[in-house]
Amino acid sequence: PVGIAEEKTEEEKEELIPAISEIRVVKKKKKFTVPVIVVSLIVLLGALFAVYRKFFFTATTKTEVVYPSYMGNESHNFNAPCALSKTPPRIAWSRNLDGTPAQPAIDSGILYVGTSSGKLYALDTGGNILWTTQLEGAILHSPAIYENNIIVGTQEGYIYILNKAGQIIRNKKIEGAIVSPPVAFGEFIYIPTFQDGLYAYNINKDQIEWKFVTTGMLKNTPVIYEDHIYIADLTGKIYVIDAKSGVEIGGVKTSAPVEALLTYWNGKIYYGNNGILTQEILYFQCLQSLTHLF
């Protein structure tokens, strides 16, 4: 009997062990606090983000995009900010270049300037020449800088695309002298020529997509807004051309030759012409009726 009682006692102990283990497991689960920590971190991060949004975050305002035109921009940088100094102006440096220089284009602190000898220069803002590339024909205009490419035309009718190391990537021969800056927009380069009209060169296809012949010679460069091209000739006519097809969709005849560059602002094209006795500044609605507004 004593032995049986002891055996039963051992069996009872063995039956009690799982029950105790289960109790311990349950107690451990009740002390498991990871979800609480995760929730606390999420709440803390949300609070920090709210503080950042309120005091440190500056919202980007959506502004109207004026597409590439000469000096405004494609790195011609006509409207580049400049801090005025109280000290008298002085010449910081000068460099002798081979040929008469045209107007430079500026991008990321590098000046790109062509000369009448057909050389394209890259200089830093200290006036040090970084490289020189010889092209065929005089360069009479400011280069266009589009993404990582430099686009420049010559008086011999060549359009060049170079990288920023001065290496020629591609060139194309067209008819007519290129004396005004080309304009890059999407996959096209629009090239005004002095005597032969406006060309649309498709970069991806490496071909002239279309040519638009103007009545008079061109001394200015196109302005592009949405799908329209605006350009004026020396007869005084301003043309409105479809950018993709090269088809004329409108125009207006002014009283005298238009040599000055067109300017787009707030839905209107502004221009000046050189009348014999007086000069006039007129404008017309870009996308509405093409009539003079006085």
Side-chain angles (χ1 to χ4, degrees), residues 7 43 63 65 82-83 101 159 167 183 191 199 205 225 240 257 266 283 286:
E7 288 178 0
V43 172
T63 58
V65 177
C82 179
I159 186 75
Q167 300 168 324
V183 174
I191 310 163
Y199 287 81
K205 297 179 181 179
Y225 181 74
V240 185
N266 197 26
Y283 65 90
C286 285

Side-chain angles (χ1 to χ4, degrees), residues 150-183:
I150 306 165
I151 303 166
V152 65
T154 69
Q155 197 172 12
E156 295 297 320
Y158 286 93
I159 186 75
Y160 289 90
I161 302 175
L162 304 91
N163 61 23
K164 290 190 175 179
Q167 300 168 324
I168 298 174
I169 301 173
R170 189 177 299 168
N171 69 84
K172 193 78 172 177
K173 179 70 169 67
I174 62 176
E175 299 297 329
I178 305 172
V179 299
S180 302
V183 174

Side-chain angles (χ1 to χ4, degrees), residues 19-280:
I20 294 170
S21 299
E22 289 175 3
I23 292 170
R24 286 176 180 173
V25 170
V26 171
K27 287 182 178 180
K28 286 181 181 179
K29 287 181 180 179
K30 289 182 179 178
K31 293 180 180 180
F32 191 71
T33 58
V34 173
V36 177
I37 296 173
V38 172
V39 172
S40 300
L41 286 174
I42 292 173
V43 172
L44 178 62
L45 290 174
L48 290 174
F49 182 73
V51 172
Y52 168 74
R53 291 273 300 182
K54 183 173 180 62
F55 297 102
F56 301 101
F57 178 76
T58 302
T60 302
T61 57
K62 186 176 180 181
T63 58
E64 182 183 15
V65 177
V66 178
Y67 288 111
S69 63
Y70 178 65
M71 300 297 289
N73 206 311
E74 291 312 331
S75 295
H76 299 290
N77 275 343
F78 179 77
N79 296 318
C82 179
L84 298 178
S85 173
K86 295 181 180 179
T87 59
R90 62 182 181 85
I91 297 175
W93 54 262
S94 64
R95 291 290 178 272
N96 290 325
L97 305 180
D98 183 11
T100 303
Q103 190 173 18
I106 305 173
D107 184 67
S108 301
I110 306 298
L111 284 73
Y112 302 95
V113 58
T115 69
S116 58
S117 67
K119 289 185 178 179
L120 181 66
Y121 291 85
L123 302 90
D124 63 22
T125 52
N128 301 303
I129 297 175
L130 304 178
W131 52 258
T132 306
T133 301
Q134 180 68 55
L135 306 181
E136 186 171 344
I139 303 170
L140 304 178
H141 63 80
S142 175
I145 302 170
Y146 188 68
E147 295 179 347
N148 292 317
N149 298 319
I150 306 165
I151 303 166
V152 65
T154 69
Q155 197 172 12
E156 295 297 320
Y158 286 93
I159 186 75
Y160 289 90
I161 302 175
L162 304 91
N163 61 23
K164 290 190 175 179
Q167 300 168 324
I168 298 174
I169 301 173
R170 189 177 299 168
N171 69 84
K172 193 78 172 177
K173 179 70 169 67
I174 62 176
E175 299 297 329
I178 305 172
V179 299
S180 302
V183 174
F185 181 63
E187 63 180 341
F188 288 95
I189 299 175
Y190 297 100
I191 310 163
T193 62
F194 185 60
Q195 295 175 315
D196 207 46
L198 180 68
Y199 287 81
Y201 172 46
N202 190 310
I203 304 172
N204 295 335
K205 297 179 181 179
D206 190 22
Q207 68 182 25
I208 301 298
E209 199 74 21
W210 52 259
K211 171 187 173 183
F212 180 82
V213 179
T214 56
T215 303
M217 295 180 288
L218 298 177
K219 285 191 68 176
N220 59 47
T221 197
V223 171
I224 303 175
Y225 181 74
E226 294 184 345
D227 294 327
H228 296 160
I229 297 175
Y230 303 87
I231 194 167
D233 66 14
L234 293 184
T235 68
K237 183 174 180 180
I238 300 176
Y239 302 85
V240 185
I241 305 167
D242 182 80
K244 294 182 180 180
S245 65
V247 175
E248 183 178 356
I249 56 177
V252 61
K253 185 71 167 64
T254 73
S255 60
V258 180
E259 295 187 48
L261 303 173
L262 306 177
T263 301
Y264 169 84
W265 184 76
N266 197 26
K268 297 180 178 65
I269 291 289
Y270 293 82
Y271 67 93
N273 61 16
N274 53 344
I276 298 176
L277 298 179
T278 60
Q279 293 183 336
E280 56 185 357

